Structures are given as C-alpha cells and as structure tokens.
Amino acid sequence: MENKKHESNKNIIWHNQNVTKDKRLTLLNQKPCILWFTGLSGSGKSTIANAVEAELFKRGRKTYLLDGDNVRHGLNKDLGFSESDRIENIRRIGEVSKLFVDSGLIVLTAFISPFKSDRQIAKSLVNYHEFIEIFIDTPLEICEQRDPKGLYKKARDGAIKNFTGISSPYEEPLEPQIHIKTNKNTVQECVDKIIYYLIKFGYIQGNENDYAI
Ligand code: ADP
C-alpha cells in the first residue's frame, strides 16, 4: 500500500498557475492569514471567532470561518476522536486553511487543537507571519460552568472518552501572538483586541487607536 502511494506520487507534478497569490492580493486590500483560535471546549473560540468575522465583514474584508463541529459534518466526517484521528483532523484543517490563505482570505479556525505539535504542523504550512495563534484562555472551572453544549457533564459521567481538560490533556500555547482571557474581558473587548492586532501589524487597514484596550 505504502509503495503504491509512493509510486503514484512520483507522477504527480505541481502545475504553476498564471494567476498567482501576489496577483490576487492586489485585488483584495488585505494581508491573508490564519487566525488560529485554540482553547478548551466552552472557552469561547466559536463565539469570539464569529464576532471577529462579523466585524471584518462589516469592514468589507474577505474571510472564511472553519468551525470544529461544522467541519466534522463534512470534510472530516470520517474521523473520530482517537489520537490519530484528532491529528488527521487538524492536519486537514491546516491544509484547507493554507489553500484559503493562498486564495487571499483571512481564515478563522475554531478548534480545540489541544496538542502543540499539531498546531505546529498547521503553522509550518504557511509563511511565518501568516499564522496568528490566538489562545482563548479560560479556566477549566469556568468552561465547565458554562458547558454550552452539555459536553462536560457527559464527560464527567463517563459518556465521552478522551475529553480535553477532563480525560485528555490540553497543552497551552507558550507564546501565542494574542492571549485572550474571557473571564476578564467581555466578548466585545476580546474582539477589539484581535482587530487591534490585525490593524497594528498591517493585515487590515484602520485606526488601531480606536481599538486599543
Ligand atoms: P468553544 O467554541 O470554545 O467551545 P463557545 O464559543 O461555543 O466555546 O462557547 C463559549 C460560551 O461562553 C458561550 O456560551 C459564550 O456566550 C460564553 N461567554 C461568556 N463570556 C464570554 C467571553 N468573554 N468570550 C467568549 N465567550 C463567552
């Protein structure tokens, strides 16, 4: 099987396209990137990513949001939650995000992505400044109190195995580009902090002073 895969790969040759990433960018007036939200279930990834995308949309920026559960309904519906499936889940999301970045979009991804090594793989697929890691840092007790999908209760009852934070580890990012504490800031303040970063580092245009918090 491995050999077969290897043999067929030899006959697959990259085709250069006439319309390049640089050419696309001249039309878009933004610097494409991946806003990679990581954090425990219930930490606020989807809520904040949705609100950031809405703000970018309002500003006429071109975006796409890849959300954990939605991707598992389609592209990754063949994957479960074993360690190897989780790794493959993140790998595919990284590859899809890379294509979207190549197309010029600001991509927002909202996945627990608990393992440093997997986030590192996603990061390695794009240029250095195209990957912005956003740590949605909410203490486990608060995520568990919120429990927006009732999953912590199920995990505590033993109905869900390998649940991050309970029966599976979450490896915190050590040097995220943006560190968000949802127990200290409102959703709007969290959004402002991200928009501020995007303006300050030239991903979008605007007045960063409107957002400094
Ligand atoms: P995740 O995508 O990380 O699993 P969700 O966004 O689905 O988390 O759920 C987070 C819950 O926490 C939502 O019900 C949201 O309304 C609530 N919440 C309370 N305060 C905040 C905040 N400052 N930022 C984000 N979410 C918050």
Side-chain angles (χ1 to χ4, degrees):
M1 180 67 190
E2 263 314 299
N3 277 345
K4 225 176 179 180
K5 208 161 106 189
H6 187 68
E7 261 172 44
S8 57
N9 279 352
K10 277 198 304 203
N11 297 324
I12 299 174
I13 294 154
W14 188 267
H15 191 89
N16 287 325
Q17 292 158 339
N18 290 336
V19 179
T20 60
K21 183 178 182 181
D22 283 348
K23 285 186 186 163
R24 278 191 288 276
L25 295 192
T26 58
L27 290 182
L28 287 170
N29 205 20
Q30 64 188 30
K31 268 200 329 202
C33 59
I34 305 173
L35 299 176
W36 188 279
F37 292 77
T38 173
L40 294 170
S41 178
S43 59
K45 300 179 297 298
S46 298
T47 303
I48 298 171
N50 258 290
V52 169
E53 189 181 34
E55 177 62 29
L56 291 171
F57 186 83
K58 213 164 76 187
R59 293 168 154 268
R61 306 283 51 94
K62 313 290 184 293
T63 60
Y64 197 81
L65 170 59
L66 288 162
D67 189 277
D69 285 353
N70 298 359
V71 170
R72 280 184 178 275
H73 279 289
L75 177 67
N76 290 355
K77 72 175 168 194
D78 56 324
L79 300 177
F81 290 89
S82 67
E83 192 171 334
S84 60
D85 278 5
R86 279 172 182 247
I87 292 169
E88 178 60 11
N89 184 43
I90 298 299
R91 190 194 69 79
R92 286 186 202 172
I93 289 153
E95 290 287 353
V96 170
S97 301
K98 176 186 171 165
L99 291 174
F100 283 163
V101 164
D102 193 55
S103 79
L105 300 185
I106 295 173
V107 185
L108 305 94
T109 68
F111 302 90
I112 299 173
S113 46
F115 301 118
K116 239 179 266 168
S117 53
D118 299 339
R119 298 193 298 263
Q120 188 52 42
I121 289 172
K123 181 177 181 156
S124 72
L125 294 174
V126 291
N127 295 328
Y128 184 75
H129 291 293
E130 290 174 338
F131 190 88
I132 301 169
E133 189 172 46
I134 304 176
F135 179 22
I136 305 297
D137 183 4
T138 307
L140 178 64
E141 312 81 75
I142 294 185
C143 295
E144 203 165 351
Q145 275 163 28
R146 290 179 182 166
D147 206 6
K149 298 174 201 147
L151 298 177
Y152 282 97
K153 179 155 190 337
K154 285 191 189 163
R156 289 284 183 201
D157 293 344
I160 306 178
K161 302 226 165 1
N162 299 324
F163 194 75
T164 303
I166 307 289
S167 43
S168 184
Y170 177 77
E171 298 173 357
E172 295 193 353
L174 297 181
E175 292 182 313
Q177 275 74 25
I178 307 177
H179 193 152
I180 299 279
K181 297 197 173 192
T182 71
N183 57 339
K184 304 231 164 80
N185 293 117
T186 63
V187 173
Q188 188 57 51
E189 286 168 345
C190 299
V191 170
D192 287 355
K193 195 166 174 182
I194 295 167
I195 299 293
Y196 170 81
Y197 183 97
L198 293 177
I199 295 173
K200 183 171 163 119
F201 293 103
Y203 293 91
I204 59 172
Q205 285 165 5
N207 185 353
E208 68 198 58
N209 296 325
D210 292 346
Y211 291 90
I213 60 166

PDB file of all heavy atoms in Angstrom, residues 7 31 67-68 76 82 89-90 109 122 124 150 161 167 173 175 180 185 188 192 197 201-202:
ATOM      1  N   GLU A   7       4.650   5.326  -5.478  1.00  0.00           N
ATOM      2  CA  GLU A   7       4.796   5.283  -6.938  1.00  0.00           C
ATOM      3  C   GLU A   7       3.893   6.299  -7.626  1.00  0.00           C
ATOM      4  O   GLU A   7       4.314   7.031  -8.503  1.00  0.00           O
ATOM      5  CB  GLU A   7       4.366   3.897  -7.440  1.00  0.00           C
ATOM      6  CG  GLU A   7       5.525   2.979  -7.696  1.00  0.00           C
ATOM      7  CD  GLU A   7       5.015   1.590  -7.996  1.00  0.00           C
ATOM      8  OE1 GLU A   7       4.044   1.483  -8.761  1.00  0.00           O
ATOM      9  OE2 GLU A   7       5.580   0.635  -7.431  1.00  0.00           O
ATOM     10  N   LYS A  31      -3.945  41.559   4.047  1.00  0.00           N
ATOM     11  CA  LYS A  31      -2.889  40.542   4.067  1.00  0.00           C
ATOM     12  C   LYS A  31      -3.520  39.252   4.561  1.00  0.00           C
ATOM     13  O   LYS A  31      -4.059  39.221   5.668  1.00  0.00           O
ATOM     14  CB  LYS A  31      -1.774  40.972   5.048  1.00  0.00           C
ATOM     15  CG  LYS A  31      -0.676  41.742   4.378  1.00  0.00           C
ATOM     16  CD  LYS A  31       0.666  41.813   5.095  1.00  0.00           C
ATOM     17  CE  LYS A  31       0.737  41.783   6.580  1.00  0.00           C
ATOM     18  NZ  LYS A  31       1.954  42.351   7.161  1.00  0.00           N
ATOM     19  N   ASP A  67     -15.160  26.047  11.472  1.00  0.00           N
ATOM     20  CA  ASP A  67     -15.522  25.770  12.856  1.00  0.00           C
ATOM     21  C   ASP A  67     -15.545  24.253  13.101  1.00  0.00           C
ATOM     22  O   ASP A  67     -15.978  23.489  12.250  1.00  0.00           O
ATOM     23  CB  ASP A  67     -16.907  26.378  13.130  1.00  0.00           C
ATOM     24  CG  ASP A  67     -17.243  26.329  14.600  1.00  0.00           C
ATOM     25  OD1 ASP A  67     -17.702  25.269  15.054  1.00  0.00           O
ATOM     26  OD2 ASP A  67     -17.015  27.327  15.302  1.00  0.00           O
ATOM     27  N   GLY A  68     -15.052  23.868  14.289  1.00  0.00           N
ATOM     28  CA  GLY A  68     -14.868  22.451  14.630  1.00  0.00           C
ATOM     29  C   GLY A  68     -16.010  21.544  14.237  1.00  0.00           C
ATOM     30  O   GLY A  68     -15.844  20.621  13.425  1.00  0.00           O
ATOM     31  N   ASN A  76     -14.432  16.192   7.353  1.00  0.00           N
ATOM     32  CA  ASN A  76     -13.816  15.270   8.319  1.00  0.00           C
ATOM     33  C   ASN A  76     -14.822  14.339   8.977  1.00  0.00           C
ATOM     34  O   ASN A  76     -14.609  13.869  10.098  1.00  0.00           O
ATOM     35  CB  ASN A  76     -13.060  16.078   9.394  1.00  0.00           C
ATOM     36  CG  ASN A  76     -11.815  16.729   8.810  1.00  0.00           C
ATOM     37  OD1 ASN A  76     -11.483  16.510   7.655  1.00  0.00           O
ATOM     38  ND2 ASN A  76     -11.139  17.531   9.602  1.00  0.00           N
ATOM     39  N   SER A  82     -10.043   9.610  18.362  1.00  0.00           N
ATOM     40  CA  SER A  82      -8.822   8.921  18.793  1.00  0.00           C
ATOM     41  C   SER A  82      -7.650   9.866  18.534  1.00  0.00           C
ATOM     42  O   SER A  82      -7.786  10.850  17.789  1.00  0.00           O
ATOM     43  CB  SER A  82      -8.621   7.637  17.996  1.00  0.00           C
ATOM     44  OG  SER A  82      -8.351   7.983  16.654  1.00  0.00           O
ATOM     45  N   ASN A  89      -7.490  15.292  11.768  1.00  0.00           N
ATOM     46  CA  ASN A  89      -8.475  16.383  11.741  1.00  0.00           C
ATOM     47  C   ASN A  89      -7.760  17.727  11.602  1.00  0.00           C
ATOM     48  O   ASN A  89      -8.064  18.526  10.711  1.00  0.00           O
ATOM     49  CB  ASN A  89      -9.274  16.333  13.062  1.00  0.00           C
ATOM     50  CG  ASN A  89     -10.403  17.342  13.128  1.00  0.00           C
ATOM     51  OD1 ASN A  89     -11.131  17.539  12.162  1.00  0.00           O
ATOM     52  ND2 ASN A  89     -10.556  18.002  14.262  1.00  0.00           N
ATOM     53  N   ILE A  90      -6.769  17.944  12.446  1.00  0.00           N
ATOM     54  CA  ILE A  90      -6.056  19.227  12.430  1.00  0.00           C
ATOM     55  C   ILE A  90      -5.197  19.359  11.169  1.00  0.00           C
ATOM     56  O   ILE A  90      -5.096  20.429  10.574  1.00  0.00           O
ATOM     57  CB  ILE A  90      -5.183  19.383  13.706  1.00  0.00           C
ATOM     58  CG1 ILE A  90      -6.061  19.375  14.958  1.00  0.00           C
ATOM     59  CG2 ILE A  90      -4.349  20.655  13.652  1.00  0.00           C
ATOM     60  CD1 ILE A  90      -7.085  20.491  15.049  1.00  0.00           C
ATOM     61  N   THR A 109     -10.015  29.855  12.311  1.00  0.00           N
ATOM     62  CA  THR A 109     -10.274  28.451  12.636  1.00  0.00           C
ATOM     63  C   THR A 109     -10.558  28.341  14.131  1.00  0.00           C
ATOM     64  O   THR A 109      -9.848  28.921  14.951  1.00  0.00           O
ATOM     65  CB  THR A 109      -9.091  27.527  12.276  1.00  0.00           C
ATOM     66  OG1 THR A 109      -7.992  27.810  13.138  1.00  0.00           O
ATOM     67  CG2 THR A 109      -8.670  27.685  10.834  1.00  0.00           C
ATOM     68  N   ALA A 122       0.260  22.880  11.543  1.00  0.00           N
ATOM     69  CA  ALA A 122      -0.577  23.857  10.822  1.00  0.00           C
ATOM     70  C   ALA A 122       0.240  25.124  10.553  1.00  0.00           C
ATOM     71  O   ALA A 122       0.212  25.680   9.449  1.00  0.00           O
ATOM     72  CB  ALA A 122      -1.818  24.186  11.646  1.00  0.00           C
ATOM     73  N   SER A 124       3.436  25.404  10.247  1.00  0.00           N
ATOM     74  CA  SER A 124       4.538  25.185   9.312  1.00  0.00           C
ATOM     75  C   SER A 124       4.078  25.194   7.844  1.00  0.00           C
ATOM     76  O   SER A 124       4.893  25.255   6.935  1.00  0.00           O
ATOM     77  CB  SER A 124       5.240  23.855   9.617  1.00  0.00           C
ATOM     78  OG  SER A 124       4.391  22.789   9.230  1.00  0.00           O
ATOM     79  N   GLY A 150     -23.288  21.004  26.962  1.00  0.00           N
ATOM     80  CA  GLY A 150     -23.548  19.899  27.898  1.00  0.00           C
ATOM     81  C   GLY A 150     -22.503  18.790  27.824  1.00  0.00           C
ATOM     82  O   GLY A 150     -22.735  17.675  28.313  1.00  0.00           O
ATOM     83  N   LYS A 161     -15.370   9.757  26.041  1.00  0.00           N
ATOM     84  CA  LYS A 161     -13.981   9.409  26.369  1.00  0.00           C
ATOM     85  C   LYS A 161     -13.038  10.454  25.757  1.00  0.00           C
ATOM     86  O   LYS A 161     -13.421  11.178  24.846  1.00  0.00           O
ATOM     87  CB  LYS A 161     -13.651   8.037  25.788  1.00  0.00           C
ATOM     88  CG  LYS A 161     -14.560   6.938  26.285  1.00  0.00           C
ATOM     89  CD  LYS A 161     -13.785   5.705  26.703  1.00  0.00           C
ATOM     90  CE  LYS A 161     -14.574   4.728  27.534  1.00  0.00           C
ATOM     91  NZ  LYS A 161     -15.945   4.980  27.847  1.00  0.00           N
ATOM     92  N   SER A 167     -10.241  14.115  30.507  1.00  0.00           N
ATOM     93  CA  SER A 167      -9.573  12.813  30.384  1.00  0.00           C
ATOM     94  C   SER A 167      -8.540  12.816  29.262  1.00  0.00           C
ATOM     95  O   SER A 167      -8.058  11.773  28.844  1.00  0.00           O
ATOM     96  CB  SER A 167     -10.622  11.727  30.134  1.00  0.00           C
ATOM     97  OG  SER A 167     -11.565  12.179  29.187  1.00  0.00           O
ATOM     98  N   PRO A 173      -0.576  27.060  24.662  1.00  0.00           N
ATOM     99  CA  PRO A 173       0.452  27.724  23.853  1.00  0.00           C
ATOM    100  C   PRO A 173       1.364  28.548  24.765  1.00  0.00           C
ATOM    101  O   PRO A 173       0.873  29.220  25.670  1.00  0.00           O
ATOM    102  CB  PRO A 173      -0.344  28.656  22.943  1.00  0.00           C
ATOM    103  CG  PRO A 173      -1.765  28.269  23.076  1.00  0.00           C
ATOM    104  CD  PRO A 173      -1.924  27.540  24.359  1.00  0.00           C
ATOM    105  N   GLU A 175       3.735  30.843  23.578  1.00  0.00           N
ATOM    106  CA  GLU A 175       3.934  32.198  23.044  1.00  0.00           C
ATOM    107  C   GLU A 175       2.904  32.519  21.963  1.00  0.00           C
ATOM    108  O   GLU A 175       3.261  32.698  20.795  1.00  0.00           O
ATOM    109  CB  GLU A 175       5.348  32.314  22.457  1.00  0.00           C
ATOM    110  CG  GLU A 175       6.416  32.251  23.517  1.00  0.00           C
ATOM    111  CD  GLU A 175       7.808  32.413  22.937  1.00  0.00           C
ATOM    112  OE1 GLU A 175       8.118  31.743  21.929  1.00  0.00           O
ATOM    113  OE2 GLU A 175       8.568  33.210  23.494  1.00  0.00           O
ATOM    114  N   ILE A 180      -6.031  35.812  25.045  1.00  0.00           N
ATOM    115  CA  ILE A 180      -7.340  36.359  25.411  1.00  0.00           C
ATOM    116  C   ILE A 180      -7.812  35.686  26.694  1.00  0.00           C
ATOM    117  O   ILE A 180      -7.812  34.456  26.785  1.00  0.00           O
ATOM    118  CB  ILE A 180      -8.370  36.031  24.291  1.00  0.00           C
ATOM    119  CG1 ILE A 180      -7.962  36.648  22.951  1.00  0.00           C
ATOM    120  CG2 ILE A 180      -9.775  36.412  24.708  1.00  0.00           C
ATOM    121  CD1 ILE A 180      -8.298  38.078  22.765  1.00  0.00           C
ATOM    122  N   ASN A 185     -12.450  39.772  30.248  1.00  0.00           N
ATOM    123  CA  ASN A 185     -12.927  40.704  29.220  1.00  0.00           C
ATOM    124  C   ASN A 185     -14.251  40.237  28.621  1.00  0.00           C
ATOM    125  O   ASN A 185     -14.491  39.031  28.515  1.00  0.00           O
ATOM    126  CB  ASN A 185     -11.894  40.822  28.081  1.00  0.00           C
ATOM    127  CG  ASN A 185     -10.612  41.485  28.552  1.00  0.00           C
ATOM    128  OD1 ASN A 185      -9.544  40.891  28.537  1.00  0.00           O
ATOM    129  ND2 ASN A 185     -10.700  42.725  28.995  1.00  0.00           N
ATOM    130  N   GLN A 188     -16.945  41.662  23.358  1.00  0.00           N
ATOM    131  CA  GLN A 188     -16.567  42.824  22.532  1.00  0.00           C
ATOM    132  C   GLN A 188     -15.116  43.239  22.782  1.00  0.00           C
ATOM    133  O   GLN A 188     -14.380  43.563  21.838  1.00  0.00           O
ATOM    134  CB  GLN A 188     -17.523  43.995  22.804  1.00  0.00           C
ATOM    135  CG  GLN A 188     -17.335  45.170  21.857  1.00  0.00           C
ATOM    136  CD  GLN A 188     -17.488  44.758  20.383  1.00  0.00           C
ATOM    137  OE1 GLN A 188     -18.468  44.120  20.010  1.00  0.00           O
ATOM    138  NE2 GLN A 188     -16.505  45.084  19.553  1.00  0.00           N
ATOM    139  N   ASP A 192     -12.122  43.363  20.063  1.00  0.00           N
ATOM    140  CA  ASP A 192     -11.340  44.588  19.846  1.00  0.00           C
ATOM    141  C   ASP A 192      -9.843  44.300  19.907  1.00  0.00           C
ATOM    142  O   ASP A 192      -9.053  44.861  19.141  1.00  0.00           O
ATOM    143  CB  ASP A 192     -11.694  45.648  20.900  1.00  0.00           C
ATOM    144  CG  ASP A 192     -13.074  46.268  20.661  1.00  0.00           C
ATOM    145  OD1 ASP A 192     -13.686  45.940  19.629  1.00  0.00           O
ATOM    146  OD2 ASP A 192     -13.526  47.060  21.507  1.00  0.00           O
ATOM    147  N   TYR A 197      -4.802  44.067  16.832  1.00  0.00           N
ATOM    148  CA  TYR A 197      -3.595  43.358  16.369  1.00  0.00           C
ATOM    149  C   TYR A 197      -3.541  43.369  14.828  1.00  0.00           C
ATOM    150  O   TYR A 197      -2.491  43.620  14.224  1.00  0.00           O
ATOM    151  CB  TYR A 197      -3.622  41.916  16.905  1.00  0.00           C
ATOM    152  CG  TYR A 197      -2.392  41.117  16.558  1.00  0.00           C
ATOM    153  CD1 TYR A 197      -1.347  40.991  17.468  1.00  0.00           C
ATOM    154  CD2 TYR A 197      -2.257  40.485  15.314  1.00  0.00           C
ATOM    155  CE1 TYR A 197      -0.203  40.266  17.157  1.00  0.00           C
ATOM    156  CE2 TYR A 197      -1.120  39.762  14.990  1.00  0.00           C
ATOM    157  CZ  TYR A 197      -0.101  39.655  15.921  1.00  0.00           C
ATOM    158  OH  TYR A 197       1.029  38.937  15.605  1.00  0.00           O
ATOM    159  N   PHE A 201      -0.477  45.328  12.826  1.00  0.00           N
ATOM    160  CA  PHE A 201       0.524  44.616  12.026  1.00  0.00           C
ATOM    161  C   PHE A 201       0.181  44.575  10.532  1.00  0.00           C
ATOM    162  O   PHE A 201       0.730  43.761   9.782  1.00  0.00           O
ATOM    163  CB  PHE A 201       0.777  43.217  12.602  1.00  0.00           C
ATOM    164  CG  PHE A 201       1.448  43.298  13.958  1.00  0.00           C
ATOM    165  CD1 PHE A 201       0.719  43.096  15.115  1.00  0.00           C
ATOM    166  CD2 PHE A 201       2.787  43.642  14.063  1.00  0.00           C
ATOM    167  CE1 PHE A 201       1.327  43.218  16.371  1.00  0.00           C
ATOM    168  CE2 PHE A 201       3.403  43.762  15.310  1.00  0.00           C
ATOM    169  CZ  PHE A 201       2.671  43.548  16.462  1.00  0.00           C
ATOM    170  N   GLY A 202      -0.745  45.449  10.134  1.00  0.00           N
ATOM    171  CA  GLY A 202      -0.972  45.680   8.708  1.00  0.00           C
ATOM    172  C   GLY A 202      -1.740  44.599   7.952  1.00  0.00           C
ATOM    173  O   GLY A 202      -1.699  44.552   6.720  1.00  0.00           O
TER     174      GLY A 202
END
